[in-house]
Amino acid sequence: MAARTKHDWADDEDIEETTNDLPPPQKIQNKDGSTTIIEYRYNENGQKVKTTRRIRYITHREVVSPLVAERKTWAKFGASAKDPPGPASDTTSVGENIIFRPSVNWKKEAKDESKDPNAQAMKDKLKDKKVKCRICNGEHFTARCPYKDTMAPIGETAPADVAAGLGDEAPGAAGPGKKGSYIPPALRAGARPEGDRLGGKYGERDDMATLRVTNVSELAEESELREMFERFGRVTRVFLAKDRETGLAKGFAFISFADRADAVRACQKMDGFGFKHLILRVEFAKKAQ
Amino acid sequence: MRPILLKGHERALTQIRYNREGDLIFSVSKDQQICVWFSHNGERLGTYRGHQGAIWTVDVDPTTTMIASGSADNTIRLWDVKTGRLLKTWDFPTAIKRVEFNEDGTKLVAVTEKRMGHLGTIVVLNINPDVNAEQSDEKALVIVCEESKATVAGWSYLSKYIIAGHEDGSISQYDAKTGDLLLNIPIHELNNPITDLQWSADRTYFITASKDKTAKLITAKDLEVLKTYTADTPLNSATITAKKDFVILGGGQAAMEVTTTAVRQGKFEARFYHKIFEDEIGRVRGHFGPLNTVAADPTGKGYASGGEDGYVRVHHFDKGYFDFMYEVERERANKLAQQAAQAQAAAAPATAKA
């Protein structure tokens, strides 16, 4: 009855009812010396939960020197004088479990793990995602592809030489292999009329043979762009738009070639090229209106 | 392993010592009290009250009958382990930074601070191992450190030498009887104080920890550096484990820089190195501040660490720790086992014939 008067009106009323119809906890001595304890309780959803625990008590005998045994019987003193036998909860507690396994290549393991909490979270997220290179279909990021400098991504128009290169490295990659891999709409073969993309190329063309590169990474540098485009011919000018305050790239750049033919080739090859985790879009610059 | 957290101190720990059998842990901190704990379950046996200042150091004699403590209240006090009774107080002009009993518990070496016009000294006191006996006031020996003050000191094997670590990073070897300086070798980087000096079980070699981010294993006889363990943080303490050939180093950013350091960056971990191969083999996390002191259980079962956060964490190693072996160690163990088996097999027929 005393318990009932203490019961606060704000408490969940179910508690009292539910505790009534729970079967009493059972203790069963098993033949093998262990004890099974069965307990019932309600979880927060009001469902009945049966907990079965099998416990085996193991008496651990340790032979200690008589000195140690004697010291265990010493009376407590000082600030602990009034403490009951056994560890006092205010001074002694048990910490969380620490897994400590010495290992020779400890540093390597720990580095992978502790590099960055974000990296770890990302790793967990991508754990069951397959990484697929857009250049050679291998299991690595496109940016890490050994062929990234020599080949264009496969989803692209795939000029003859690229296709030939692919044949060696990843047979069938161009066919059913790439089925199911996501291709951004901008890169889909039929998604965009050829004329649109290359509109500037043949129609209102720029005498300067200047390419407009968009979707450039914030971290890109002019020198990097120059290096990439110089493979196709002499580059006369590289302009990378940068934010005046932060110094980060704004995401687009202009590359001028000395020779128009080079520019055409560069445009073909570099459109859709993966650079710093972004896919470049390369087209001929339109004349200012 | 689940560490046992001992919360008996309100301020930063300064030193932890196990007794000889490894069943008791003595901890001292800046909060003026000494605590003694049972190592197996973390139960506090008692406290020793009386010091009026931060306690820098504690040591227990080999028979676990008396402990000595040195404090910033300029005293060394001797206590009865069993009852917490104060047996004797020695007064000094400056703070005591280190005390250590010799192997038979008849002598106590103490390091006094350099302050207020007093030079740092190393003092030896005679101790009567009988709890009820009167202790003498006299100092058996006083060594004055004129060059650089001593920070730590201890007794070598057979109480032959007193080895001291200095503020300038050098190690000195003194004759324990006469107090003559026999050797002084700059072992750690110049002006990186030696923060800890702990002995191997037989006191023939010791490990030093220094603010220069290294710990070194050094022989007592001729102060030869045997091994060097390089960490990435200033070290406050180093200890040698029994049973397994490991050393444990503790350190972290200095306490005053802690507020500007994240726990992860702070490197507040106990680092395990292989004693022979000098490789780092693992770390144990847990403290929220630098580790001021680490102590290994002389029975090899565990270790305890005390941090700036006021906690003592007592760890009992589990199986993985004891099983760990280098490939070469494992091969050698296997070879020895094989040889033993062969020898036994060879001996068996011989006895059968006989």
Side-chain angles (χ1 to χ4, degrees):
Chain A
M1 224 34 215
R4 183 167 279 204
T5 49
K6 266 185 205 164
H7 197 261
D8 194 77
W9 62 270
D11 285 349
D12 203 341
E13 281 189 6
D14 292 349
I15 292 171
E16 215 176 358
E17 292 170 18
T18 55
T19 44
N20 287 340
D21 56 343
L22 277 176
Q26 287 178 288
K27 257 192 179 181
I28 304 159
Q29 280 287 342
N30 297 328
K31 276 190 191 135
D32 60 351
S34 62
T35 311
T36 306
I37 301 172
I38 303 170
E39 282 170 334
Y40 299 89
R41 63 181 176 85
Y42 284 90
N43 65 7
E44 57 269 37
N45 297 336
Q47 291 155 321
K48 204 195 266 183
V49 179
K50 178 183 174 187
T51 318
T52 309
R53 288 182 295 169
R54 262 183 73 178
I55 299 173
R56 186 196 296 272
Y57 292 98
I58 298 169
T59 314
H60 180 72
R61 257 176 219 286
E62 197 178 343
V63 179
V64 294
S65 89
L67 284 170
V68 176
E70 197 232 314
R71 284 198 280 267
K72 280 186 184 161
T73 63
W74 282 0
K76 294 187 181 184
F77 57 89
S80 285
K82 293 191 183 84
D83 288 352
S89 57
D90 59 334
T91 54
T92 308
S93 57
V94 177
E96 59 189 272
N97 197 18
I98 294 175
I99 296 163
F100 174 57
R101 277 185 189 288
S103 120
V104 182
N105 44 8
W106 169 84
K107 271 215 169 120
K108 237 181 269 162
E109 287 165 22
K111 220 175 255 170
D112 290 347
E113 201 178 287
S114 64
K115 211 191 285 169
D116 190 350
N118 296 333
Q120 186 58 35
M122 186 56 98
K123 214 191 239 171
D124 290 341
K125 231 191 271 176
L126 296 174
K127 211 186 315 183
D128 37 37
K129 292 229 171 78
K130 269 243 172 86
V131 174
K132 201 169 171 192
C133 173
R134 277 180 294 107
I135 294 172
C136 68
N137 264 2
E139 282 197 4
H140 49 249
F141 289 108
T142 311
R144 300 244 174 91
C145 181
Y147 308 107
K148 71 170 172 180
D149 293 336
T150 52
M151 266 191 256
I154 45 162
E156 257 311 286
T157 48
D161 57 336
V162 174
L166 263 176
D168 298 339
E169 305 309 324
K178 76 175 186 108
K179 206 165 131 193
S181 65
Y182 175 75
I183 301 161
L187 297 178
R188 279 174 205 157
R192 193 176 22 158
E194 197 74 0
D196 182 81
R197 176 157 56 123
L198 305 172
K201 206 164 167 185
Y202 299 113
E204 0 138 24
R205 45 176 208 94
D206 192 313
D207 288 335
M208 293 289 292
T210 299
L211 295 175
R212 187 177 73 159
V213 184
T214 50
N215 206 22
V216 181
S217 164
E218 276 189 335
L219 305 166
E221 293 288 335
E222 276 190 9
S223 58
E224 291 170 323
L225 288 172
R226 179 177 283 275
E227 212 170 275
M228 282 196 313
F229 282 89
E230 259 173 353
R231 290 206 300 270
F232 303 99
R234 205 163 75 79
V235 173
T236 55
R237 182 185 72 120
V238 174
F239 171 76
L240 177 66
K242 280 193 170 171
D243 192 300
R244 206 176 302 164
E245 271 148 36
T246 62
L248 293 171
K250 273 183 165 173
F252 66 96
F254 291 98
I255 318 270
S256 303
F257 279 90
D259 191 356
R260 234 198 85 79
D262 292 339
V264 172
R265 270 199 314 130
C267 180
Q268 274 177 352
K269 287 271 173 88
M270 295 304 287
D271 192 17
F273 186 80
F275 172 62
K276 299 220 172 182
H277 73 258
L278 288 178
I279 297 161
L280 296 182
R281 180 159 179 191
V282 183
E283 57 204 343
F284 271 82
K286 293 188 183 104
K287 245 187 201 153
Q289 300 284 315
Chain B
M1 58 184 176
R2 294 186 86 94
I4 304 171
L5 274 64
L6 310 182
K7 180 88 187 98
H9 297 286
E10 279 147 24
R11 290 193 60 200
L13 271 287
T14 48
Q15 199 177 15
I16 298 176
R17 301 289 290 195
Y18 276 89
N19 68 341
R20 191 191 173 98
E21 288 83 17
D23 63 322
L24 294 180
I25 296 171
F26 297 88
S27 63
V28 289
S29 88
K30 294 181 185 170
D31 72 352
Q32 313 185 359
Q33 72 172 350
I34 308 165
C35 291
V36 54
W37 315 81
F38 286 109
S39 66
H40 70 285
N41 63 355
E43 182 179 352
R44 186 162 74 177
L45 174 62
T47 58
Y48 306 83
R49 289 225 72 135
H51 274 296
Q52 305 290 316
I55 306 173
W56 292 114
T57 174
V58 68
D59 196 27
V60 55
D61 76 345
T63 55
T64 322
T65 49
M66 290 185 285
I67 58 166
S69 58
S71 159
D73 65 2
N74 303 348
T75 61
I76 295 176
R77 288 172 200 239
L78 195 71
W79 312 81
D80 179 10
V81 171
K82 186 176 176 179
T83 59
R85 184 165 55 100
L86 179 64
L87 300 174
K88 173 81 188 165
T89 305
W90 288 274
D91 279 299
F92 288 87
T94 57
I96 311 300
K97 297 295 280 192
R98 192 77 166 195
V99 291
E100 192 176 296
F101 281 101
N102 68 345
E103 270 178 307
D104 58 2
T106 55
K107 282 190 169 124
L108 185 77
V109 68
V111 175
T112 68
E113 181 71 286
K114 174 185 179 181
R115 196 154 288 159
M116 298 180 288
H118 296 279
L119 284 170
T121 59
I122 300 168
V123 182
V124 177
L125 299 167
N126 283 323
I127 303 288
N128 189 333
D130 183 6
V131 184
N132 298 315
E134 189 74 22
Q135 303 290 343
S136 91
D137 266 320
E138 219 167 304
K139 288 160 193 158
L141 189 66
V142 178
I143 303 165
V144 180
C145 306
E146 275 157 13
E147 293 243 332
S148 173
K149 73 170 187 193
T151 50
V152 289
W155 297 93
S156 79
Y157 57 96
L158 304 175
S159 308
K160 194 170 179 192
Y161 307 113
I162 292 171
I163 308 288
H166 294 271
E167 201 183 24
D168 65 357
S170 67
I171 305 268
S172 299
Q173 183 194 54
Y174 298 96
D175 187 306
K177 291 220 169 62
T178 61
D180 295 337
L181 179 65
L182 303 175
L183 278 171
N184 179 278
I185 299 177
I187 278 175
H188 284 279
E189 268 175 44
L190 189 64
N191 293 332
N192 283 291
I194 289 167
T195 48
D196 199 8
L197 186 158
Q198 294 197 29
W199 291 94
S200 68
D202 60 4
R203 291 186 187 245
T204 54
Y205 62 96
F206 56 92
I207 189 167
T208 58
S210 165
K211 290 284 180 197
D212 72 356
K213 304 183 180 179
T214 61
K216 295 190 191 223
L217 211 64
I218 300 163
T219 59
K221 196 176 176 195
D222 37 22
L223 301 188
E224 184 195 342
V225 177
L226 299 172
K227 301 285 173 189
T228 301
Y229 312 98
T230 311
D232 51 0
T233 180
L235 295 176
N236 293 331
S237 190
T239 187
I240 302 166
T241 59
K243 290 262 167 70
K244 300 291 285 182
D245 282 331
F246 299 153
V247 296
I248 310 171
L249 314 184
Q253 251 83 2
M256 55 206 263
E257 290 156 24
V258 163
T259 47
T260 57
T261 326
V263 171
R264 179 168 285 283
Q265 284 180 327
K267 309 187 172 84
F268 307 139
E269 295 155 320
R271 295 124 201 281
F272 283 71
Y273 285 70
H274 197 281
K275 188 165 78 182
I276 315 294
F277 300 109
E278 302 174 314
D279 291 330
E280 188 167 352
I281 51 169
R283 288 188 187 183
V284 174
R285 259 187 285 169
H287 281 287
F288 291 105
L291 275 73
N292 287 343
T293 173
V294 289
D297 186 335
T299 59
K301 283 182 207 150
Y303 82 98
S305 57
E308 190 71 21
D309 56 5
Y311 278 95
V312 178
R313 295 173 74 94
V314 183
H315 305 74
H316 295 274
F317 298 126
D318 35 39
K319 197 163 172 295
Y321 169 86
F322 296 104
D323 289 347
F324 172 74
M325 260 194 248
Y326 269 64
E327 207 51 49
V328 283
E329 288 179 295
R330 201 182 303 279
E331 275 167 23
R332 186 164 171 276
N334 287 347
K335 208 181 275 175
L336 287 176
Q338 258 175 21
Q339 278 172 3
Q342 276 169 6
Q344 216 165 33
T351 50
K353 264 177 218 163

